[in-house]
DNA sequence: ATTATACTTGCAACTCAGTTGATTTTCGAG
DNA sequence: CTCGAAAATCAACTGAGTTGCAAGTATAAT
């Protein structure tokens, strides 16, 4: 969804002290164009449609970007993590995941602020990140079932 | 912590149409006596201190109990899932996980109801489960750092 | 321009956390 | 006691990442 025009990844990486290499840019562009959070394997597939790249490279980039807060790593159901861009146009938000088809859908960010307010206090500001995962049946799967 | 006296697992299993076998009871007792959610590997270790048991048996029991709602499977950080008892004395609640030592801590269940209220509406009741994971630095790790 | 240095990528092998399928064991009914 | 279903076991396998090290590439220093 053409977020690439809103975020200048080239500049973004340089400000982090990272060289804007083809693979790093490809990872960011892939996530920017996705309509939902992606697994490492999915990112790899998208990039490989255009260039030859080793999975270790992508895993290392994802790890590095996550530590730097450039992207967010989501611990949803299933063994693989999902990744999404974390620029100012994409604030943290809850995710909905279908029990059956396992598809992910991003929800409005607003409710997260309420959870923050509820939890930061009791935790004495120890918290620096909140993840909310909602599970259920998506429209498609409900019809089938 | 001695929840075993409050929940009659023997009876609980029978009502589910499951035989109260030693391994099944051991899994439930292990979770009941734990002060936090445990990984499959940890459960296995606890049980093995008392009896010989195959890991596949425990994995299959955990999977089955999760589907039946007897226990909850938590998708926290790290590759392994965590499990906790889901009897009426232990309602769903948010979890805090330390970024450094990765230890888990259960939080008060109250804030979850607020998230429920916020999300059930927009989702048109498609949601049947909410998981809230809070990350940050625990007391111990903050002192060290 | 040339060398030195650090950063990036690639490859092979490995680990960890489960999962599968086939086979035995055990329990409870008849 | 014996038969059939339920439960447990074993070996082998899979998926998702991880590690260590070698090779390539870019930037900096000479």
């Amino acid at each position: 969804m053409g977020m690439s025009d809103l975020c200048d990844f080239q500049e973004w990486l340089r400000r982090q002290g990272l060289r804007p290499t083809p693979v790093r840019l490809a990872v960011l562009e892939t996530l920017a164009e996705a309509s939902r959070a992606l697994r490492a394997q999915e990112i790899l597939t998208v990039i490989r449609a255009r260039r030859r790249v080793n999975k270790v490279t992508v895993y290392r980039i994802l790890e590095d970007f996550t530590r730097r807060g450039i992207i967010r790593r989501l611990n949803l159901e299933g063994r693989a993590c999902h990744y999404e861009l974390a620029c100012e146009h994409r604030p943290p938000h809850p995710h909905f995941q279908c029990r059956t088809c396992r598809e992910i859908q991003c929800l409005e960010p607003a409710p997260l602020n309420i959870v923050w307010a509820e939890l930061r206090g009791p935790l004495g500001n120890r918290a620096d990140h909140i993840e909310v995962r909602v599970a259920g049946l998506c429209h498609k799967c409900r019809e089938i079932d």
Side-chain angles (χ1 to χ4, degrees), chain A residues 27-141:
Chain A
V27 167
L28 293 176
E29 277 155 22
T30 303
L31 290 177
E33 268 147 42
S35 60
R36 56 167 180 84
L38 300 178
R39 280 178 281 269
Q41 187 54 239
E42 295 175 311
I43 297 169
L44 204 52
T45 304
V46 171
I47 299 179
R48 280 184 174 158
R50 314 229 137 268
R51 57 166 54 250
R52 202 169 151 290
V53 66
N54 191 277
K55 66 171 180 167
V56 180
T57 306
V58 169
Y59 278 116
R60 288 209 262 243
I61 288 173
L62 289 171
E63 173 64 30
D64 182 44
F65 283 2
T66 303
R67 270 195 296 92
R68 291 168 187 273
I70 297 177
I71 63 178
R72 279 184 294 267
R73 194 207 305 270
L74 310 175
N75 297 280
L76 306 173
E77 192 138 344
R79 270 188 281 166
C81 298
H82 287 75
Y83 297 89
E84 64 181 12
L85 232 49
C87 63
E88 70 263 37
H89 304 296
R90 306 191 170 207
H93 48 267
H95 291 85
F96 175 84
Q97 189 170 29
C98 177
R99 255 191 205 314
T100 307
C101 64
R102 294 222 156 162
E103 257 194 56
I104 298 155
Q105 198 183 311
C106 298
L107 302 177
E108 285 306 305
L112 260 196
N113 300 328
I114 295 163
V115 189
W116 260 111
E118 283 296 313
L119 288 172
R120 217 203 248 266
L123 282 168
N125 298 330
R126 274 182 293 145
D128 60 32
H129 180 88
I130 290 183
E131 200 176 308
V132 174
R133 188 176 72 83
V134 184
L137 267 193
C138 74
H139 287 311
K140 267 183 260 169
C141 293

